[in-house]
Amino acid sequence: MSETIGFLLNDTARLFRRAFNARTRDSGITALQWRLLVYLRRHQGIRQGPLADLIEVEPITLSRMVDRLAESGLVERRADPTDRRAWLLYLTPRADALLDGMRRTTDALAEEATEGLSDAERAQLIALVGRVRCNLSRRDAIPESEREKEAI
């Protein structure tokens, strides 16, 4: 039976998460928390709602994750100067150091996962999967009515 691209990508992502969680167990950081921290590093000062959308979790789930990361001294909430009800999220220096240290772990995992591939094949794999992600991301952003017009 031939595997579909969706099955292969999903199964590979699951295996990556499992391997990541096994390697980082002592740090107390899960793959989802790592993803949150990486996105937060890219979007310092973001509100919780848009961050939940970025990492595709429910706002209440993100709020609990941020609570845990704040208790661990990795994330801080700052009042939004334009909206008294909102909080902006920032990484702490401790989180920056943790991310830098864990980068070696993620690099080693990527090296293991792509073992036997040449540098050119690795670059091509990254480009192709990036294109698939872009296609799906762009498709999600197009309203259903627009997609129907495209199909005609």
Side-chain angles (χ1 to χ4, degrees):
M1 180 175 144
S2 176
E3 304 289 0
T4 65
I5 186 68
F7 181 85
L8 284 171
L9 289 172
N10 195 26
D11 205 38
T12 302
R14 178 187 59 79
L15 292 169
F16 256 101
R17 279 189 305 276
R18 185 174 74 185
F20 178 90
N21 288 335
R23 286 167 174 77
T24 61
R25 187 167 285 121
D26 291 340
S27 74
I29 299 296
T30 66
L32 185 55
Q33 289 170 327
W34 167 260
R35 214 167 136 232
L36 183 153
L37 293 171
V38 169
Y39 270 99
L40 189 51
R41 180 179 256 183
R42 293 177 190 161
H43 303 281
Q44 291 276 353
I46 192 171
R47 289 183 183 184
Q48 285 186 193
L51 182 59
D53 290 341
L54 277 174
I55 65 169
E56 297 181 348
V57 298
E58 292 297 320
I60 190 68
T61 301
L62 180 86
S63 183
R64 289 181 185 130
M65 289 173 60
V66 170
D67 287 346
R68 277 187 233 110
L69 293 170
E71 288 169 12
S72 299
L74 299 171
V75 172
E76 63 181 32
R77 291 179 173 103
R78 297 182 194 164
D80 184 336
T82 63
D83 184 347
R84 292 181 5 199
R85 299 165 298 169
W87 296 97
L88 305 177
L89 302 175
Y90 292 87
L91 292 181
T92 65
R94 183 168 177 232
D96 281 324
L98 177 75
L99 287 171
D100 291 341
M102 289 180 69
R103 177 56 62 189
R104 289 185 294 282
T105 301
T106 60
D107 289 347
L109 179 56
E111 184 70 30
E112 180 183 319
T114 57
E115 185 179 332
L117 298 180
S118 69
D119 288 343
E121 288 171 324
R122 289 175 189 189
Q124 183 179 24
L125 177 62
I126 290 168
L128 293 172
V129 172
R131 204 183 306 149
V132 169
R133 179 178 66 180
C134 183
N135 288 343
L136 293 172
S137 175
R138 186 172 50 239
R139 184 148 177 90
D140 286 345
I142 299 172
E144 187 68 35
S145 59
E146 292 297 317
R147 280 190 288 228
E148 290 172 5
K149 289 178 191 174
E150 287 179 356
I152 298 172

